[in-house]
Coordinates of all heavy atoms in Angstrom, one line a residue:
M1 N 72.9 146.2 79.6 CA 73.4 146.3 81.0 C 74.2 145.1 81.4 O 73.8 144.0 81.1 CB 72.3 146.4 82.0 CG 71.7 147.8 82.0 SD 70.9 148.0 83.6 CE 69.3 148.5 83.0
I2 N 75.3 145.3 82.0 CA 76.2 144.2 82.5 C 76.1 144.3 84.0 O 76.5 145.3 84.6 CB 77.6 144.4 81.9 CG1 77.6 144.3 80.4 CG2 78.5 143.3 82.5 CD1 78.9 144.6 79.8
F3 N 75.7 143.2 84.6 CA 75.6 143.1 86.1 C 74.8 144.2 86.7 O 75.2 144.7 87.8 CB 77.0 143.0 86.7 CG 77.8 141.9 86.1 CD1 79.0 142.1 85.4 CD2 77.4 140.5 86.3 CE1 79.7 141.1 84.8 CE2 78.2 139.5 85.8 CZ 79.3 139.8 85.0
G4 N 73.8 144.7 86.0 CA 72.9 145.7 86.6 C 73.5 147.1 86.5 O 72.8 148.1 86.9
K5 N 74.6 147.3 85.9 CA 75.2 148.6 85.7 C 75.0 149.1 84.3 O 75.1 148.3 83.4 CB 76.7 148.7 86.0 CG 77.1 148.3 87.5 CD 78.5 148.4 87.6 CE 78.9 148.0 89.1 NZ 80.4 148.0 89.3
K6 N 74.6 150.3 84.1 CA 74.4 150.9 82.8 C 75.7 151.3 82.3 O 76.5 152.1 82.9 CB 73.4 152.1 82.9 CG 73.1 152.6 81.5 CD 72.1 153.7 81.6 CE 71.7 154.2 80.2 NZ 70.8 155.3 80.3
T7 N 76.1 150.8 81.1 CA 77.4 151.2 80.5 C 77.1 152.2 79.3 O 76.2 152.0 78.6 CB 78.1 149.9 79.9 OG1 77.2 149.3 78.9 CG2 78.4 148.9 81.0
T8 N 77.9 153.2 79.2 CA 77.8 154.2 78.2 C 79.0 154.2 77.3 O 79.1 155.0 76.4 CB 77.7 155.6 78.8 OG1 78.8 155.8 79.6 CG2 76.4 155.7 79.6
Y9 N 79.9 153.2 77.4 CA 81.0 153.1 76.6 C 80.6 152.6 75.2 O 79.9 151.7 75.0 CB 82.0 152.1 77.2 CG 83.2 151.8 76.2 CD1 84.2 152.7 76.0 CD2 83.2 150.6 75.5 CE1 85.2 152.5 75.2 CE2 84.3 150.4 74.7 CZ 85.3 151.3 74.5 OH 86.3 151.0 73.6
V10 N 81.1 153.3 74.2 CA 80.9 152.9 72.8 C 82.3 152.8 72.1 O 83.1 153.8 72.2 CB 80.1 154.0 72.0 CG1 79.9 153.6 70.6 CG2 78.7 154.1 72.7
S11 N 82.6 151.7 71.6 CA 84.0 151.4 71.0 C 84.1 152.3 69.8 O 83.2 152.8 69.2 CB 84.2 150.0 70.7 OG 83.4 149.6 69.6
E12 N 85.4 152.5 69.4 CA 85.7 153.3 68.2 C 85.1 152.6 66.9 O 84.6 153.3 66.0 CB 87.2 153.4 68.0 CG 87.9 154.3 69.0 CD 89.4 154.3 68.8 OE1 89.8 154.2 67.6 OE2 90.1 154.6 69.8
I13 N 85.1 151.3 66.9 CA 84.6 150.6 65.7 C 83.1 150.8 65.6 O 82.5 151.1 64.6 CB 84.9 149.1 65.8 CG1 86.4 148.8 65.8 CG2 84.2 148.3 64.7 CD1 87.1 149.3 64.6
T14 N 82.4 150.7 66.8 CA 80.9 150.9 66.8 C 80.6 152.3 66.4 O 79.7 152.6 65.6 CB 80.3 150.6 68.2 OG1 80.7 149.3 68.5 CG2 78.8 150.7 68.2
H15 N 81.4 153.3 66.9 CA 81.2 154.7 66.5 C 81.4 154.9 65.0 O 80.6 155.6 64.4 CB 82.1 155.6 67.3 CG 81.9 157.0 67.1 ND1 80.8 157.7 67.5 CD2 82.8 157.9 66.5 CE1 81.0 158.9 67.1 NE2 82.1 159.1 66.5
F16 N 82.4 154.3 64.5 CA 82.7 154.4 63.0 C 81.6 153.8 62.2 O 81.2 154.4 61.2 CB 84.0 153.6 62.7 CG 84.3 153.5 61.3 CD1 84.8 154.6 60.5 CD2 84.2 152.3 60.6 CE1 85.1 154.5 59.2 CE2 84.4 152.2 59.3 CZ 84.9 153.3 58.6
I17 N 81.1 152.6 62.6 CA 80.0 152.0 61.8 C 78.7 152.8 61.9 O 78.1 153.0 60.9 CB 79.8 150.6 62.3 CG1 81.0 149.7 61.9 CG2 78.5 150.0 61.7 CD1 81.0 148.3 62.5
D18 N 78.4 153.4 63.0 CA 77.2 154.2 63.2 C 77.4 155.5 62.3 O 76.4 155.9 61.7 CB 77.0 154.6 64.6 CG 76.6 153.5 65.5 OD1 76.1 152.4 64.9 OD2 76.7 153.6 66.8
E19 N 78.5 156.0 62.3 CA 78.8 157.2 61.4 C 78.6 156.9 60.0 O 78.1 157.6 59.2 CB 80.2 157.7 61.7 CG 80.3 159.1 62.1 CD 81.8 159.5 62.3 OE1 82.5 159.6 61.4 OE2 82.1 159.8 63.5
L20 N 79.2 155.7 59.6 CA 79.1 155.3 58.2 C 77.7 155.0 57.8 O 77.3 155.4 56.7 CB 79.9 153.9 58.1 CG 80.3 153.5 56.7 CD1 81.2 154.5 56.0 CD2 81.0 152.1 56.8
K21 N 76.9 154.5 58.7 CA 75.4 154.3 58.4 C 74.7 155.6 58.2 O 73.8 155.7 57.5 CB 74.8 153.4 59.4 CG 75.2 151.9 59.4 CD 74.6 151.1 60.5 CE 75.0 149.7 60.5 NZ 74.4 148.9 61.6
Q22 N 75.1 156.6 59.0 CA 74.4 157.9 58.9 C 74.8 158.6 57.6 O 73.9 159.2 57.0 CB 74.8 158.8 60.1 CG 74.2 158.4 61.4 CD 74.7 159.2 62.6 OE1 75.6 160.1 62.4 NE2 74.1 159.0 63.7
K23 N 76.0 158.4 57.2 CA 76.4 159.1 55.9 C 75.8 158.4 54.7 O 75.5 159.0 53.7 CB 78.0 159.0 55.8 CG 78.7 159.9 56.7 CD 80.2 159.8 56.6 CE 80.9 160.7 57.6 NZ 82.4 160.5 57.5
N24 N 75.6 157.1 54.8 CA 75.1 156.3 53.7 C 73.9 155.4 54.2 O 74.1 154.3 54.6 CB 76.2 155.4 53.1 CG 75.7 154.7 51.8 OD1 74.6 154.8 51.4 ND2 76.6 153.9 51.2
P25 N 72.7 156.0 54.2 CA 71.6 155.2 54.8 C 71.2 153.9 54.0 O 70.6 153.1 54.6 CB 70.4 156.2 54.7 CG 71.0 157.5 54.3 CD 72.3 157.3 53.8
K26 N 71.6 153.8 52.8 CA 71.3 152.6 52.0 C 72.4 151.6 52.1 O 72.4 150.6 51.3 CB 71.1 153.0 50.5 CG 69.8 153.8 50.3 CD 69.5 154.1 48.9 CE 68.3 154.9 48.8 NZ 67.9 155.1 47.4
L27 N 73.3 151.7 53.0 CA 74.5 150.8 53.1 C 74.0 149.4 53.4 O 74.4 148.5 52.8 CB 75.4 151.3 54.2 CG 76.7 150.5 54.5 CD1 77.6 150.5 53.2 CD2 77.4 150.9 55.7
E28 N 73.2 149.2 54.4 CA 72.7 147.9 54.8 C 71.9 147.2 53.7 O 72.0 146.0 53.4 CB 71.9 148.0 56.1 CG 72.7 148.2 57.3 CD 71.9 148.1 58.6 OE1 71.1 147.2 58.7 OE2 72.1 148.9 59.5
E29 N 71.1 148.0 53.0 CA 70.4 147.5 51.8 C 71.3 147.0 50.7 O 71.1 145.9 50.2 CB 69.4 148.6 51.3 CG 68.5 148.2 50.2 CD 67.7 149.3 49.7 OE1 67.3 150.2 50.5 OE2 67.4 149.3 48.5
S30 N 72.3 147.7 50.4 CA 73.3 147.3 49.4 C 74.1 146.1 49.9 O 74.4 145.2 49.1 CB 74.2 148.4 49.0 OG 75.0 148.8 50.0
Q31 N 74.4 146.0 51.2 CA 75.0 144.8 51.7 C 74.2 143.6 51.6 O 74.7 142.5 51.2 CB 75.4 145.0 53.2 CG 76.6 145.9 53.4 CD 76.9 146.1 54.9 OE1 76.0 146.2 55.7 NE2 78.1 146.3 55.2
R32 N 72.9 143.7 51.8 CA 72.0 142.6 51.7 C 71.9 142.1 50.2 O 71.8 141.0 49.9 CB 70.6 142.9 52.2 CG 70.5 142.9 53.7 CD 69.1 143.0 54.2 NE 69.1 143.4 55.6 CZ 68.9 144.6 56.1 NH1 68.7 145.6 55.3 NH2 69.0 144.9 57.4
A33 N 71.8 143.1 49.3 CA 71.8 142.8 47.9 C 73.0 142.1 47.4 O 72.9 141.1 46.7 CB 71.6 144.1 47.1
G34 N 74.2 142.5 47.9 CA 75.4 141.8 47.6 C 75.5 140.4 48.1 O 75.9 139.5 47.5
R35 N 75.0 140.3 49.3 CA 75.0 138.9 49.9 C 74.0 138.0 49.1 O 74.4 136.9 48.8 CB 74.5 139.0 51.4 CG 74.4 137.6 52.0 CD 73.6 137.6 53.2 NE 73.2 136.2 53.6 CZ 73.5 135.6 54.7 NH1 74.1 136.2 55.6 NH2 73.1 134.4 54.9
A36 N 72.9 138.5 48.8 CA 71.9 137.7 48.0 C 72.5 137.3 46.6 O 72.3 136.2 46.2 CB 70.6 138.5 47.8
L37 N 73.3 138.2 46.0 CA 73.9 137.9 44.8 C 75.0 136.9 44.9 O 75.1 136.0 44.0 CB 74.5 139.2 44.2 CG 75.2 139.1 42.9 CD1 74.2 138.8 41.8 CD2 75.9 140.4 42.6
L38 N 75.8 136.9 45.9 CA 77.0 136.0 46.0 C 76.7 134.8 46.8 O 77.3 133.7 46.6 CB 78.2 136.8 46.6 CG 78.7 137.9 45.8 CD1 79.7 138.7 46.5 CD2 79.2 137.5 44.5
W39 N 75.9 134.8 47.9 CA 75.8 133.7 48.8 C 74.5 133.0 48.9 O 74.5 131.8 49.1 CB 76.2 134.2 50.2 CG 77.6 134.7 50.3 CD1 78.0 136.0 50.3 CD2 78.8 133.9 50.3 NE1 79.4 136.0 50.3 CE2 79.9 134.8 50.3 CE3 79.0 132.5 50.3 CZ2 81.2 134.3 50.3 CZ3 80.3 132.1 50.3 CH2 81.4 133.0 50.3
D40 N 73.4 133.7 48.8 CA 72.1 133.1 48.9 C 71.7 132.4 47.6 O 71.2 133.1 46.7 CB 71.0 134.2 49.3 CG 71.3 134.8 50.6 OD1 72.1 134.2 51.4 OD2 70.8 135.9 50.9
K41 N 72.0 131.2 47.5 CA 71.8 130.4 46.3 C 70.6 129.4 46.5 O 70.3 129.0 47.6 CB 73.0 129.7 45.8 CG 74.3 130.6 45.7 CD 74.2 131.3 44.4 CE 75.5 132.1 44.2 NZ 75.5 132.9 43.1
E42 N 70.1 128.9 45.3 CA 69.1 127.8 45.3 C 69.9 126.6 45.8 O 71.0 126.4 45.5 CB 68.6 127.6 43.9 CG 67.8 128.8 43.4 CD 66.4 128.8 44.0 OE1 65.8 127.8 44.3 OE2 65.9 129.9 44.3
P43 N 69.1 125.7 46.4 CA 69.8 124.4 46.8 C 70.2 123.6 45.6 O 69.5 123.7 44.5 CB 68.6 123.6 47.6 CG 67.6 124.7 47.9 CD 67.8 125.8 46.9
I44 N 71.3 122.9 45.7 CA 71.8 122.1 44.5 C 70.9 120.8 44.4 O 70.7 120.1 45.3 CB 73.3 121.7 44.8 CG1 74.1 123.0 44.8 CG2 73.8 120.8 43.7 CD1 75.5 122.7 45.3
D45 N 70.5 120.6 43.1 CA 69.7 119.4 42.8 C 70.8 118.3 42.5 O 71.3 118.3 41.4 CB 68.8 119.7 41.6 CG 67.9 118.5 41.3 OD1 68.0 117.4 42.0 OD2 67.2 118.6 40.3
L46 N 71.0 117.4 43.4 CA 72.0 116.4 43.3 C 71.7 115.4 42.2 O 72.5 114.9 41.5 CB 72.2 115.6 44.6 CG 72.7 116.4 45.8 CD1 72.8 115.6 47.0 CD2 74.0 117.0 45.5
D47 N 70.4 115.1 41.9 CA 70.0 114.3 40.9 C 70.3 114.8 39.5 O 70.9 114.2 38.6 CB 68.4 114.1 40.9 CG 68.0 112.7 40.6 OD1 68.8 111.8 40.7 OD2 66.8 112.5 40.2
K48 N 70.0 116.1 39.3 CA 70.4 116.8 38.0 C 71.9 116.9 37.9 O 72.4 116.6 36.8 CB 69.8 118.2 38.0 CG 70.0 118.9 36.7 CD 69.5 120.3 36.8 CE 69.7 121.1 35.5 NZ 71.1 121.2 35.2
T49 N 72.6 117.1 38.9 CA 74.1 117.2 38.8 C 74.7 115.9 38.4 O 75.5 115.9 37.6 CB 74.6 117.7 40.2 OG1 74.0 118.9 40.6 CG2 76.1 117.8 40.1
S50 N 74.2 114.8 39.0 CA 74.7 113.5 38.6 C 74.4 113.1 37.2 O 75.2 112.6 36.4 CB 74.2 112.4 39.6 OG 72.9 112.2 39.5
R51 N 73.1 113.5 36.7 CA 72.8 113.3 35.3 C 73.6 114.1 34.4 O 74.0 113.6 33.3 CB 71.3 113.6 35.1 CG 70.4 112.5 35.6 CD 68.9 112.7 35.3 NE 68.5 113.7 36.3 CZ 67.7 114.8 36.1 NH1 67.3 115.1 34.9 NH2 67.4 115.6 37.1
D52 N 73.9 115.3 34.7 CA 74.7 116.2 33.9 C 76.1 115.6 33.8 O 76.7 115.6 32.7 CB 74.8 117.6 34.4 CG 73.5 118.4 34.3 OD1 72.6 117.9 33.5 OD2 73.4 119.4 34.9
K53 N 76.7 115.1 34.9 CA 78.0 114.6 34.9 C 78.1 113.3 34.1 O 79.1 113.1 33.3 CB 78.4 114.3 36.4 CG 79.9 114.0 36.5 CD 80.2 113.8 38.0 CE 81.7 113.6 38.2 NZ 82.1 113.4 39.6
A54 N 77.0 112.5 34.2 CA 77.0 111.2 33.4 C 76.9 111.4 31.9 O 77.3 110.6 31.1 CB 75.9 110.3 33.9
S55 N 76.2 112.5 31.5 CA 76.0 112.8 30.1 C 77.1 113.5 29.4 O 77.1 113.7 28.2 CB 74.7 113.6 29.9 OG 74.9 114.9 30.4
R56 N 78.2 113.8 30.1 CA 79.3 114.5 29.5 C 80.1 113.5 28.6 O 80.3 112.4 28.9 CB 80.2 115.1 30.5 CG 79.7 116.3 31.2 CD 80.7 117.1 31.9 NE 80.1 118.2 32.6 CZ 80.2 118.4 33.9 NH1 80.8 117.6 34.7 NH2 79.6 119.5 34.4
V57 N 80.6 114.1 27.5 CA 81.5 113.3 26.6 C 82.9 113.4 27.2 O 83.4 114.5 27.5 CB 81.4 113.8 25.2 CG1 82.4 113.0 24.3 CG2 80.0 113.7 24.7
A58 N 83.6 112.3 27.3 CA 85.0 112.3 27.8 C 85.9 113.0 26.9 O 85.8 112.9 25.7 CB 85.5 110.9 28.0
Q59 N 86.8 113.9 27.4 CA 87.7 114.6 26.6 C 89.0 113.8 26.4 O 89.4 113.0 27.2 CB 88.1 115.9 27.4 CG 89.0 116.8 26.6 CD 89.3 118.1 27.3 OE1 88.7 118.4 28.3 NE2 90.2 118.9 26.8
Q60 N 89.5 114.0 25.2 CA 90.8 113.2 24.9 C 91.9 113.7 25.8 O 91.9 114.9 26.2 CB 91.2 113.5 23.4 CG 90.2 112.9 22.4 CD 90.7 113.2 21.0 OE1 91.6 114.0 20.8 NE2 90.0 112.7 20.0
P61 N 92.9 112.9 26.1 CA 94.0 113.3 27.0 C 94.7 114.5 26.4 O 95.1 115.4 27.1 CB 94.9 112.1 27.0 CG 94.0 110.9 26.6 CD 93.0 111.5 25.7
Y62 N 94.9 114.5 25.1 CA 95.6 115.7 24.5 C 94.6 116.2 23.5 O 94.3 115.7 22.4 CB 96.9 115.2 23.8 CG 97.7 116.4 23.2 CD1 98.3 117.3 24.0 CD2 97.8 116.6 21.8 CE1 99.0 118.4 23.5 CE2 98.5 117.6 21.3 CZ 99.1 118.5 22.2 OH 99.8 119.6 21.7
V63 N 94.0 117.4 23.8 CA 92.9 117.9 23.0 C 93.2 118.3 21.6 O 92.3 118.4 20.8 CB 92.3 119.1 23.8 CG1 91.6 118.7 25.1 CG2 93.2 120.2 24.0
Y64 N 94.5 118.6 21.3 CA 94.8 119.1 20.0 C 95.2 117.9 19.0 O 95.5 118.1 17.9 CB 96.0 120.0 20.0 CG 95.7 121.2 20.9 CD1 96.2 121.4 22.1 CD2 94.7 122.2 20.4 CE1 95.9 122.5 22.9 CE2 94.4 123.3 21.2 CZ 95.0 123.4 22.4 OH 94.7 124.5 23.2
Q65 N 95.1 116.7 19.5 CA 95.4 115.5 18.7 C 94.1 115.0 18.1 O 93.1 114.8 18.8 CB 96.1 114.4 19.6 CG 96.5 113.2 18.8 CD 97.3 112.3 19.7 OE1 97.3 112.5 20.9 NE2 97.8 111.2 19.1
N66 N 94.1 114.7 16.8 CA 92.8 114.4 16.1 C 92.7 112.9 15.7 O 91.8 112.5 15.1 CB 92.6 115.2 14.9 CG 92.3 116.7 15.2 OD1 91.7 116.9 16.3 ND2 92.8 117.6 14.4
H67 N 93.7 112.1 16.0 CA 93.6 110.7 15.6 C 93.2 109.8 16.7 O 93.2 109.8 17.7 CB 94.8 110.0 15.0 CG 96.1 110.8 14.9 ND1 96.9 111.0 15.9 CD2 96.6 111.4 13.8 CE1 98.0 111.7 15.5 NE2 97.8 111.9 14.2

């Protein structure tokens, strides 16, 4: 309710999304799975990252040169 008045307006976008959810009930579940796959990551261990970086062997400026 806005300012005590009941609104019944539903935008086209909201209507479209509601329709989409009715047609595909597992839509939100698959969205959550996709988010978990791409975005929800373990925190980065800065100590391990710095050790990994320090233990790398420096690459030659021109990798195909052997002398």
Side-chain angles (χ1 to χ4, degrees):
M1 279 202 233
I2 299 175
F3 305 114
K5 295 181 181 179
K6 186 176 179 181
T7 59
T8 56
Y9 172 75
V10 178
S11 72
E12 290 180 27
I13 300 298
T14 304
H15 183 68
F16 171 76
I17 291 173
D18 290 343
E19 237 180 67
L20 195 61
K21 287 179 183 178
Q22 285 177 355
K23 289 179 184 176
N24 186 0
K26 294 185 179 185
L27 179 66
E28 287 186 41
E29 183 181 326
S30 66
Q31 285 178 326
R32 284 191 196 99
R35 176 195 165 125
L37 180 67
L38 297 173
W39 296 104
D40 298 339
K41 305 283 184 184
E42 294 285 324
I44 296 172
D45 183 1
L46 297 177
D47 218 20
K48 182 183 178 303
T49 304
S50 66
R51 282 183 280 135
D52 289 346
K53 190 175 183 180
S55 67
R56 287 195 182 122
V57 176
Q59 184 177 354
Q60 295 177 353
Y62 185 67
V63 294
Y64 300 109
Q65 186 175 6
N66 292 327
H67 5 77

